[in-house]
Amino acid sequence: MNSKIKEMIKQVLRWLLLGGTLFFLANALKNNWQEIAAIRIDGVGWSILAIATGITLLAHAWAGWVWTWILQELHQSISSIQLIQAYLKTNIAKYLPGNVGHYIARIMAAKNLRVSTSAATISVLLEPLLMLAAALILVILCSKFTLASGSIILLIGQIFGLVVVLSILHPLFLNPLIRFAHRRKNKSSSDNLNGVSLSLNRYPLLPLLGELGFLLLRSAGFIFTLYAIAPINPSQIPLIIGAFSFAWLLGLVVPGAPAGLGIFETTAIALLQHFFPTALIIAASGLYRLISILAETIAASFAWLDERLI
């Protein structure tokens, strides 16, 4: 009975979150519809949007490469090209309900490439942790541009969260969790294909830096999207990076929102509407969502074609 009550509460909270997000977006659209409809994109603007799409596509390919670094930290040796192809092909599954479809598909794809089940599972758990840490780093570095005066408590909370995440990533804390997960797999034959120990010998600094690069590329894609419909002052770039990183972070951690759909847009609008016209941020957020989906679809298609041509 307790489990049923907990599940019911989770469902109610998900629907409340979804309803609140949709209400905020609908209200923002209603109040700014005329300004949004007045936005025009010229030929140069479309070229800039094409650049934003290319940068976002590059970001996803880069994330796939960083995933290979995570597996290397777990002593898995496999073709980086094949792993990147698998990453790009499964990435689009994050838009399925539950927001875990891409992780499950990635584990299965890695297993087919003779990566141990435990290593594949741990890698898809490590990746969002590293992304979370990278996003927090960018938010904190850019916080003086995004936080209003008197928000020192929020800054302290961000720093505390970052310390916790960075500590969890340390081998001292992470290796016992890895060993526990490995034991839960009962050391099946698929887990012993590589004959290596599943543990981290060092702090995963290189993958963490890689995820920082991924978020900076994603931020650049958003900046170019915004620039395609309105001029941007270079001094505003740190502000946009910080706001984008925080919005993307919430989209990552909030449950029940596939690929942060709605959560990212709502947060970006809430943070940036004090610095840019609201209609501009609504348009840019919507355009960037479309660009992200297009880039992920193109990347998955290229990976599928490349796999069959090799």
Side-chain angles (χ1 to χ4, degrees):
M1 179 62 74
N2 288 336
S3 61
K4 290 183 178 180
I5 293 175
K6 288 180 180 178
E7 185 61 29
M8 186 173 65
I9 292 173
K10 287 181 181 178
Q11 290 295 335
V12 170
L13 289 175
R14 287 194 187 106
W15 282 110
L16 286 174
L17 178 64
L18 177 61
T21 301
L22 291 176
F23 175 79
F24 177 88
L25 291 175
N27 189 58
L29 282 170
K30 180 178 71 70
N31 293 336
N32 298 275
W33 179 249
Q34 290 183 340
E35 291 85 350
I36 295 172
I39 294 174
R40 296 289 182 269
I41 302 176
D42 57 17
V44 174
W46 286 111
S47 298
I48 295 172
L49 287 177
I51 294 172
T53 304
I55 292 173
T56 305
L57 194 156
L58 175 63
H60 291 299
W62 175 263
W65 194 18
V66 175
W67 183 44
T68 69
W69 301 351
I70 297 172
L71 286 168
Q72 287 171 8
E73 293 288 341
L74 295 169
H75 316 291
Q76 302 298 300
S77 178
I78 192 69
S79 168
S80 295
I81 296 297
Q82 289 179 302
L83 284 171
I84 294 171
Q85 289 172 340
Y87 186 95
L88 295 176
K89 287 192 302 178
T90 58
N91 201 39
I92 201 73
K94 67 186 178 183
Y95 289 99
L96 296 174
N99 204 21
V100 295
H102 56 309
Y103 294 135
I104 296 171
R106 206 164 287 159
I107 292 170
M108 299 304 296
K111 282 180 62 180
N112 291 336
L113 293 172
R114 300 183 65 81
V115 173
S116 77
T117 307
S118 293
T121 303
I122 292 163
S123 72
V124 301
L125 294 175
L126 266 177
E127 185 195 33
L129 271 177
L130 288 164
M131 287 180 169
L132 175 64
L136 281 171
I137 289 171
L138 289 178
V139 169
I140 290 172
L141 289 177
C142 301
S143 60
K144 68 176 182 178
F145 299 94
T146 55
L147 293 179
S149 58
S151 300
I152 188 65
I153 294 177
L154 180 57
L155 177 60
I156 292 173
Q158 291 171 350
I159 294 174
F160 177 76
L162 177 61
V163 170
V164 170
V165 173
L166 291 178
S167 298
I168 291 174
L169 290 173
H170 195 281
L172 181 65
F173 296 97
L174 201 56
N175 281 339
L177 296 177
I178 291 174
R179 287 193 291 269
F180 174 76
H182 189 47
R183 285 197 299 269
R184 288 292 297 269
K185 289 292 180 182
N186 295 320
K187 298 183 178 181
S188 64
S189 58
S190 63
D191 281 353
N192 287 300
L193 289 172
N194 299 298
V196 294
S197 171
L198 282 176
S199 62
L200 292 176
N201 294 333
R202 58 189 178 186
Y203 194 90
L205 180 61
L206 183 61
L208 177 58
L209 292 175
E211 300 299 0
L212 274 169
F214 164 73
L215 273 173
L216 286 172
L217 284 171
R218 292 297 304 270
S219 299
F222 183 74
I223 289 169
F224 272 94
T225 303
L226 190 58
Y227 183 59
I229 55 180
I232 295 175
N233 192 307
S235 64
Q236 295 174 313
I237 290 177
L239 161 70
I240 300 171
I241 293 175
F244 176 90
S245 299
F246 189 71
W248 186 91
L249 184 154
L250 285 187
L252 177 68
V253 302
V254 173
L261 197 62
I263 302 298
F264 167 80
E265 290 81 3
T266 299
T267 308
I269 294 167
L271 289 176
L272 292 173
Q273 66 182 351
H274 304 295
F275 306 95
F276 298 92
T278 304
L280 178 62
I281 301 303
I282 294 173
S285 299
L287 273 173
Y288 189 68
R289 174 62 67 180
L290 294 175
I291 284 173
S292 296
I293 295 173
L294 177 62
E296 287 161 349
T297 303
I298 293 172
S301 301
F302 280 171
W304 183 83
L305 287 171
D306 188 53
E307 187 179 53
R308 276 148 183 77
L309 291 174
I310 292 178

